[in-house]
Amino acid sequence: MDIKKFFEPESIAILGVSKTPEKVGSVIFKNLIDSGFKGKVFAVNPNEDFVLGYKSYPSVKNIKGNIDLAIIAVPSDVVIKTVKECAQKKIKNILMVTAGFGETGNLKLDEELLSILNKNKIKLIGPNVLGLINNYNNVDTLFIPFYRLKRPKKGNISFVTQSGAFGSSVLDLISAEGYGLSKFISYGNCLDIDESDLLDYLNKDKTTEVIVLYIEGVKNGRKFFETLKKIKKPVIVLKGGKFIESKKSTLSHTGSLAGTYETYQGVFHQTCCIPADFIQDVFDFLRLFEKNIEVKGNRIQIITNGGGHGVISADAVIHYGLKLAELSDLSKKIFKKSLPSIATISNPLDLVGDADDLRYKLAIETCLHDKNSDVILLNLLYQTPRLTKNIVDIITSLNNKNLKPIVVVSTGSYLTMELEKALENKGIPCFQFPENAVKSIKAVYDYYQYRK
Amino acid sequence: MDIKKFFEPESIAILGVSKTPEKVGSVIFKNLIDSGFKGKVFAVNPNEDFVLGYKSYPSVKNIKGNIDLAIIAVPSDVVIKTVKECAQKKIKNILMVTAGFGETGNLKLDEELLSILNKNKIKLIGPNVLGLINNYNNVDTLFIPFYRLKRPKKGNISFVTQSGAFGSSVLDLISAEGYGLSKFISYGNCLDIDESDLLDYLNKDKTTEVIVLYIEGVKNGRKFFETLKKIKKPVIVLKGGKFIESKKSTLSHTGSLAGTYETYQGVFHQTCCIPADFIQDVFDFLRLFEKNIEVKGNRIQIITNGGGHGVISADAVIHYGLKLAELSDLSKKIFKKSLPSIATISNPLDLVGDADDLRYKLAIETCLHDKNSDVILLNLLYQTPRLTKNIVDIITSLNNKNLKPIVVVSTGSYLTMELEKALENKGIPCFQFPENAVKSIKAVYDYYQYRK
C-alpha cells in the first residue's frame, strides 16, 4: 500500500480546529504552523470564519485545490458526516485522531467508517491515534504542545507505536537524551493501515536506519510475519501484554486480540527482530543500533581503572551469555613491559586507580589489535585522579580506525555526564552501568549473527 | 569490636601529606580542612616544615596531645616504619590508604603489619582503601577532590564497599540523584576490621536506616552470617564475582576467596538481606527503603492515563511475581458513576489521555480505601494535556494519610523530571519506568515478609 502522502503531504487540512487553543484540533493546527512545515495548511470549522488568527473554512469542500492529507479531530458524533465531506472533496488520505470507535465497543461506527473508506478508496491511519511526525519535512501532527513534549532532533530512528501515550512519553525522553528521529507514528486502532503497512514504508524510507516497534497485538499475523521477514533494517520490538493476566488489559486498550507471547517470540526470532524485555532496553539497544555498530563476535575484553567495575562487568558478560576474551600472548608481553606491576594483565584488564590518559591509550590500542577479542568494554571512572578530558580525543581517534567496537561505561555525576556526552557526540556509545552495556552488545551480536 | 573512633575522632593525623596538592595524602588533608570537620587535623611529613600553607610535623611523635585516628598514605616501603611510630605515639586506630600488600602478592608485608598491630592493640581499616565519610560530623577522608566526586547531602543511607573505585562512582551518582548519606566506608583488603565489624557498627548507628553492601568475597563466613542475622535494618547487597568465569578477577582485585554465588544467596536469604542483581537495582531499591516505605501485601493496583504504560506495568507485576489487584465492588460502583465512559474500570484502571487532576484525585482516593489492594502504582504521563502541577499537592496530601504506599512512574523529559523531583521531595518515590518500580516494590515486599 502506498502511504507516502501521509508522511510527505504538500497540503493538509485539519478538521476540528476550534477557537479554544487547548483543543486537540487547535494544538495540531498550531504545531503544524509553528514547526516550519513548508506545505499548505488549512483549518476547517463549520461555525467560525477565523480561528487562532487564521482563516477557517466551513467544510473541506470550500477549500480550493488539492488536499493530500486530512486530519480529523472532530467529536465522534459528527465524524461520519466529516469523512463524507472528505470523500466528496476526493481526499484519499485521512489521519483520524477522534476516539470512541471499536476500542470503546462502538463497532457500528467502525463499520460505517469502513464502508465509506472502501467505497471511495480512502486510506486511513487510526482512529484513536496521537498522530505522526516526519522530522525531515516538519510534518508534526501531534496534539501535544511543545512545552509538554519535547521534539527530537533529526536522526535515523523511526518509531511505530500502537499506544499513543506510551509513544509520546518515550518520544519526550528520546528527545531529552539526544537521540535523533526520522519518523514517529502512533497508529491506534488500525482499522485500515496497520503496523505492517507502516513497517513496509519505513523499510523503504531512506532516512530510517533503525525501527522501534511497540505493539500489543496484531490482527493479521501472516501479513505481519511476511512484512518483518522482508525488512532489511534492525527492528527493536517491545510487546505489551506478555502474560495471560496482563493481556486482558490490551483488549480494552486498543481492541486487538493478542496471541501468546511465545508465538510472538517465535515470530521475532524467525524474522531477526530484536525483542526488548523492558522499556529501558529500547533506549539501551538504540545507543548501539543508531550508530550502526556491528558486533561480529562474542568475545568481550574489559578494560577498567576500577576493580569493582571490572568484576561487575565480567559478571554481566557471563550473565548475558557472552564470553570473556583471553588476551593474546603478544598483548600480554606488551602489557608486562609497559604497565605498572600492580596492574592486572587479564580480563578484566585492570589499569588500577592511578591510570592516566596514556596508560588507557596503550591499553585500548593493544586490545584493538588483539585478535582474541571482538568488542572492547571500556570502563572509565572519572573519579580517579589522573584521567583528564583529553581521553575523549584519544578514544575518538582510536575508534575511528574501525578495528572493533568500543563501548564505554562511566558511572558518576557531572564530570562523567559531560564526558559521556562528548563521547556520544563522537559516535562512541556510553552507558552508565556495565550491565546495560553488555545486554545491548548481546542484542546487536545476536542480530548480526541471525541475520546472516 | 569498638570502631567508633574511626567515624567520630576528635583528632586526626594524616601521614604522607606532600607539597604536591594532587598527591593522595594532600587531597585527604585538604578535604578534611575544607569539609568543615570540627576536630583537630595534623599533617605529617618528615621532610617539610609547612605543607599547603599549614604546619607539618616530622613524625606523629612530635604532635602534642592525643591522636584518635591516623590516616596513612605513605609509600609502601616506609609503611612499617610509619606504623611503628604510630604505635609509639599510642595511636589505636589506623586507616591505611597505602596499597601494595596482599592484593599484589606481598604477603610478607601483611604479616609484618599484623604483628605490630597485634602487639600494640591497634585497630586497622585497610590497607588499600579509599577511605570513609561520616556525613554527620564532616569526617571525609576520601582522596578524591570534590570537583571529581560530588559528596551527598545528609541522610539515612550507609554504604560499605570492598571496592574503592566502585564505591566512589556510586557515591558520585548517589549525590547527583539526591539521595542522602550517613556513612561511607571503603574497607579494602580488610586485614583487620572487616565487613562484619562495619555492619555491626552501622546496625547500632542511629543515623543509619538502610545499608548498602558491595562485596566480592568474605574471609570469615561464619562471622558474616552471624552478624547479618543480628542486623535489624534493610541491607541491600550487591555481590561481585557471581560466576566461575568472572570470579577469578576478584582474586586479583581484593585478594579474597569467594564461595559460590549460590552459597551467598543462601546466606542472604536466611539473613533477610536484599540481593541486587544489577547496579541499577541498588539505586531503585533505595528509592523505597530510604523513605521507610513498608509493603505489606503483594496486590498492586495500577492507575494510568496511558493505556500502553498500564499494559507494560501489568506485565511487570506478573513478571516479578506480584499480583494484579481486583477492584472492590464499591470502587467499581464509584468509578462507574464518576468516570467518563471511555475509561477502563479494571486493573490497570485507565483514566485515559484527557484525565485531569481531579479525575486522578478521585481514582487515587478510591483505590487507597479499597481493601483489595496493597500498593498503588501510579502512572503519570505529563505529556497529556490536562494534568497540571497541582497534582503534586494532591498526591502528597493523599499520601500523608498513610493508607498504603503510592509509587509513581513518570516517563519523560523536563516537565516530568521537575514534577518527579517535587514528588520525591515530599517523600513519594518516583521511577522513570514501570519495570524498575515494580521490581523495587517486590524487593521491599519480600523484605518485610521474610523479616516477620
Side-chain angles (χ1 to χ4, degrees):
Chain A
M1 196 187 298
D2 183 11
I3 58 172
K4 201 179 152 190
K5 285 286 179 201
F6 282 92
F7 294 94
E8 298 167 47
E10 282 164 29
S11 48
I12 304 175
I14 298 107
L15 295 84
V17 183
S18 132
K19 280 175 82 171
T20 316
E22 291 81 29
K23 290 274 179 172
V24 167
S26 308
V27 175
I28 297 175
F29 181 71
K30 193 75 182 29
N31 283 356
L32 267 171
I33 298 285
D34 291 348
S35 70
F37 171 60
K38 300 276 186 246
K40 288 175 192 155
V41 184
F42 303 95
V44 178
N45 181 325
N47 309 315
E48 306 289 340
D49 291 335
F50 284 90
V51 286
L52 313 169
Y54 290 84
K55 179 179 164 53
S56 151
Y57 295 81
S59 161
V60 275
K61 294 189 287 182
N62 301 91
I63 302 171
K64 278 187 188 134
N66 189 46
I67 299 292
D68 284 342
L69 177 63
I71 301 174
I72 296 182
V74 300
S76 60
D77 54 347
V78 294
V79 84
I80 293 299
K81 177 179 167 289
T82 310
V83 173
K84 279 181 180 163
E85 289 181 4
C86 289
Q88 287 161 14
K89 175 69 186 162
K90 308 255 183 271
I91 291 173
K92 296 297 172 196
N93 305 293
I94 293 176
L95 182 83
M96 178 80 75
V97 174
T98 307
F101 289 76
E103 87 279 7
T104 60
N106 196 345
L107 299 171
K108 198 168 155 278
L109 197 56
D110 281 4
E111 273 174 42
E112 275 188 273
L113 176 60
L114 270 177
S115 138
I116 307 170
L117 298 180
N118 290 337
K119 213 159 69 188
N120 297 281
K121 297 200 173 112
I122 296 171
K123 283 171 272 189
L124 175 90
I125 294 184
N128 186 22
V129 304
L130 179 63
L132 62 85
I133 292 175
N134 178 355
N135 235 354
Y136 284 85
N137 63 0
N138 301 325
V139 168
D140 182 340
T141 80
L142 267 49
F143 57 85
I144 304 180
F146 292 175
Y147 84 92
R148 280 191 184 261
L149 172 58
K150 197 172 139 70
R151 305 310 206 252
K153 67 183 186 195
K154 268 182 203 171
N156 61 1
I157 302 169
S158 284
F159 186 15
V160 181
T161 175
Q162 194 165 6
S163 163
F166 175 73
S168 66
S169 64
V170 169
L171 196 62
D172 190 22
L173 194 54
I174 274 181
S175 313
E177 302 242 329
Y179 294 91
L181 183 85
S182 174
K183 314 279 183 297
F184 170 90
I185 319 112
S186 143
Y187 64 95
N189 296 11
C190 57
L191 210 56
D192 180 33
I193 291 172
D194 62 15
E195 62 289 324
S196 299
D197 300 318
L198 295 165
L199 289 167
D200 188 53
Y201 168 77
L202 293 174
N203 191 34
K204 293 168 194 151
D205 179 47
K206 279 178 188 157
T207 56
T208 297
E209 294 181 331
V210 49
I211 299 166
V212 176
L213 174 66
Y214 173 74
I215 48 163
E216 294 179 355
V218 298
K219 284 172 188 160
N220 190 338
R222 175 54 55 187
K223 182 180 172 190
F224 184 59
F225 179 72
E226 295 299 337
T227 305
L228 284 178
K229 266 206 333 200
K230 280 186 294 185
I231 291 187
K232 298 286 173 222
K233 302 171 184 182
V235 180
I236 301 169
V237 56
L238 181 65
K239 164 79 174 71
K242 291 190 177 78
F243 305 97
I244 297 168
E245 297 90 332
S246 50
K247 225 166 64 180
K248 64 172 190 178
S249 56
T250 67
L251 278 169
S252 57
H253 177 214
T254 40
S256 57
L257 264 170
T260 68
Y261 188 50
E262 287 70 29
T263 311
Y264 279 93
Q265 282 178 308
V267 169
F268 299 154
H269 185 73
Q270 287 180 63
T271 59
C272 301
C273 284
I274 303 118
D277 297 322
F278 308 119
I279 305 178
Q280 179 73 53
D281 292 340
V282 174
F283 288 89
D284 290 338
F285 296 176
L286 280 176
R287 288 238 174 268
L288 301 182
F289 280 112
E290 69 153 5
K291 297 184 184 75
N292 294 309
I293 290 168
E294 197 170 329
V295 175
K296 289 171 185 161
N298 61 356
R299 300 165 307 168
I300 315 298
Q301 177 63 49
I302 301 161
I303 304 176
T304 190
N305 57 344
H309 260 72
V311 171
I312 293 168
S313 299
D315 275 344
V317 166
I318 305 303
H319 178 83
Y320 287 113
L322 295 168
K323 282 185 180 156
L324 289 165
E326 189 150 332
L327 287 169
S328 71
D329 290 341
L330 177 61
S331 300
K332 282 183 192 164
K333 213 171 134 187
I334 295 171
F335 291 142
K336 267 179 199 149
K337 218 178 93 184
S338 326
L339 293 181
S341 66
I342 53 164
T344 306
I345 301 165
S346 180
N347 194 2
L349 174 65
D350 189 352
L351 308 178
V352 301
D354 68 343
D356 59 6
D357 302 342
L358 288 180
R359 200 184 296 168
Y360 260 102
K361 183 170 188 284
L362 172 89
I364 300 167
E365 198 154 29
T366 307
C367 290
L368 277 177
H369 288 95
D370 190 315
K371 294 218 173 346
N372 287 358
S373 62
D374 304 297
V375 178
I376 295 177
L377 187 70
L378 189 64
N379 285 182
L380 289 175
L381 300 178
Y382 294 111
Q383 293 83 21
T384 55
R386 296 178 65 197
L387 214 50
T388 78
K389 292 184 185 180
N390 295 333
I391 194 74
V392 172
D393 289 336
I394 291 173
I395 297 171
T396 304
S397 97
L398 290 169
N399 186 57
N400 288 344
K401 294 182 180 177
N402 280 318
L403 292 169
K404 59 184 75 157
I406 300 174
V407 177
V408 170
V409 173
S410 271
T411 308
S413 71
Y414 304 114
L415 183 65
T416 299
M417 287 165 195
E418 182 192 330
L419 295 175
E420 268 185 1
K421 209 172 162 182
L423 284 167
E424 278 277 340
N425 284 338
K426 300 284 187 180
I428 296 149
C430 292
F431 292 85
Q432 200 164 42
F433 301 126
E435 297 97 335
N436 305 62
V438 174
K439 188 172 186 181
S440 305
I441 293 169
K442 177 67 162 67
V444 177
Y445 169 68
D446 282 349
Y447 174 72
Y448 284 101
Q449 202 190 19
Y450 295 133
R451 207 195 53 163
K452 271 167 198 165
Chain B
M1 200 188 296
D2 183 11
I3 58 173
K4 201 178 152 188
K5 285 284 179 201
F6 282 92
F7 295 93
E8 298 167 47
E10 281 164 30
S11 49
I12 305 176
I14 299 107
L15 294 82
V17 183
S18 135
K19 278 175 85 172
T20 317
E22 291 80 29
K23 291 273 181 174
V24 167
S26 307
V27 175
I28 297 175
F29 181 71
K30 193 78 181 30
N31 283 355
L32 267 172
I33 299 284
D34 292 348
S35 69
F37 171 60
K38 301 274 184 247
K40 288 175 192 155
V41 184
F42 303 95
V44 178
N45 181 323
N47 310 315
E48 308 289 339
D49 290 336
F50 284 91
V51 287
L52 312 169
Y54 291 82
K55 178 179 167 50
S56 151
Y57 295 82
S59 160
V60 276
K61 294 189 287 181
N62 301 91
I63 301 170
K64 280 189 187 131
N66 189 47
I67 299 291
D68 284 341
L69 175 64
I71 301 175
I72 297 183
V74 300
S76 60
D77 55 345
V78 293
V79 83
I80 294 299
K81 178 182 167 285
T82 311
V83 173
K84 279 181 181 162
E85 290 180 4
C86 289
Q88 287 163 9
K89 175 69 186 164
K90 308 253 183 276
I91 291 173
K92 296 297 172 197
N93 305 293
I94 293 177
L95 183 83
M96 178 80 75
V97 174
T98 307
F101 289 78
E103 86 280 7
T104 60
N106 196 344
L107 297 171
K108 199 169 153 278
L109 197 56
D110 281 3
E111 273 173 42
E112 275 188 90
L113 177 59
L114 270 177
S115 139
I116 308 171
L117 297 180
N118 290 337
K119 215 160 65 188
N120 296 281
K121 296 202 173 109
I122 297 172
K123 282 170 273 189
L124 175 90
I125 293 184
N128 187 22
V129 303
L130 178 63
L132 62 86
I133 291 176
N134 179 355
N135 236 353
Y136 285 85
N137 63 0
N138 301 326
V139 169
D140 181 340
T141 80
L142 266 50
F143 57 86
I144 305 180
F146 292 175
Y147 84 92
R148 281 192 185 260
L149 173 59
K150 198 173 138 69
R151 306 308 207 255
K153 65 182 187 196
K154 269 184 203 169
N156 61 0
I157 302 168
S158 284
F159 186 14
V160 181
T161 175
Q162 194 165 6
S163 164
F166 175 73
S168 67
S169 65
V170 169
L171 196 62
D172 190 22
L173 194 55
I174 273 181
S175 312
E177 302 241 328
Y179 294 90
L181 182 86
S182 173
K183 314 281 182 297
F184 170 90
I185 318 114
S186 144
Y187 64 95
N189 297 9
C190 55
L191 210 55
D192 180 34
I193 291 173
D194 63 14
E195 62 291 324
S196 300
D197 300 318
L198 295 165
L199 288 168
D200 188 53
Y201 168 77
L202 293 174
N203 191 34
K204 292 169 196 152
D205 179 46
K206 280 180 187 156
T207 58
T208 298
E209 293 181 330
V210 48
I211 299 166
V212 176
L213 174 66
Y214 173 74
I215 48 163
E216 295 179 355
V218 298
K219 284 172 188 161
N220 189 337
R222 174 55 54 188
K223 183 180 173 189
F224 184 59
F225 179 72
E226 295 298 337
T227 305
L228 284 178
K229 266 203 337 197
K230 279 186 295 184
I231 291 187
K232 297 286 174 222
K233 302 171 183 182
V235 180
I236 300 170
V237 57
L238 181 65
K239 164 79 175 70
K242 293 189 176 78
F243 305 97
I244 296 169
E245 298 90 332
S246 51
K247 225 165 65 179
K248 63 172 190 179
S249 56
T250 68
L251 278 170
S252 57
H253 177 215
T254 39
S256 55
L257 263 170
T260 68
Y261 188 50
E262 288 68 30
T263 312
Y264 280 93
Q265 282 178 308
V267 169
F268 300 155
H269 184 74
Q270 287 179 62
T271 58
C272 302
C273 284
I274 304 120
D277 298 322
F278 308 119
I279 305 179
Q280 179 73 52
D281 291 341
V282 174
F283 287 88
D284 290 338
F285 296 176
L286 280 176
R287 287 239 175 269
L288 300 182
F289 280 112
E290 70 154 3
K291 297 184 185 72
N292 294 309
I293 289 168
E294 196 170 331
V295 175
K296 290 173 185 159
N298 61 356
R299 301 165 306 168
I300 315 297
Q301 177 64 48
I302 301 161
I303 304 175
T304 190
N305 56 345
H309 259 72
V311 171
I312 293 168
S313 299
D315 275 344
V317 166
I318 305 304
H319 179 82
Y320 287 113
L322 295 168
K323 283 186 180 153
L324 289 165
E326 188 151 333
L327 287 169
S328 70
D329 290 340
L330 177 61
S331 300
K332 283 183 191 164
K333 212 171 136 188
I334 294 171
F335 290 142
K336 268 179 197 147
K337 218 178 94 185
S338 327
L339 293 180
S341 64
I342 53 164
T344 306
I345 301 165
S346 180
N347 192 2
L349 175 65
D350 188 351
L351 307 178
V352 301
D354 68 344
D356 58 7
D357 302 341
L358 287 180
R359 200 183 296 166
Y360 260 102
K361 182 169 189 284
L362 173 89
I364 301 166
E365 198 155 29
T366 306
C367 290
L368 278 177
H369 287 96
D370 190 316
K371 293 218 173 354
N372 287 357
S373 64
D374 304 297
V375 178
I376 295 177
L377 187 70
L378 189 63
N379 284 183
L380 288 175
L381 300 177
Y382 293 111
Q383 293 83 19
T384 55
R386 296 178 65 197
L387 214 50
T388 78
K389 293 184 183 178
N390 294 333
I391 195 73
V392 172
D393 289 336
I394 290 173
I395 297 171
T396 305
S397 95
L398 290 169
N399 187 57
N400 287 344
K401 292 182 179 176
N402 281 317
L403 292 168
K404 60 184 73 157
I406 299 174
V407 178
V408 170
V409 174
S410 271
T411 308
S413 71
Y414 303 114
L415 183 64
T416 299
M417 288 165 194
E418 181 193 330
L419 294 176
E420 268 184 0
K421 208 172 164 183
L423 282 167
E424 278 276 342
N425 284 338
K426 299 285 188 179
I428 297 150
C430 292
F431 293 84
Q432 201 164 40
F433 300 127
E435 297 97 335
N436 305 61
V438 173
K439 189 173 186 182
S440 305
I441 293 169
K442 178 67 161 67
V444 177
Y445 170 67
D446 282 350
Y447 174 72
Y448 283 102
Q449 204 189 18
Y450 295 134
R451 208 194 52 164
K452 270 167 202 164

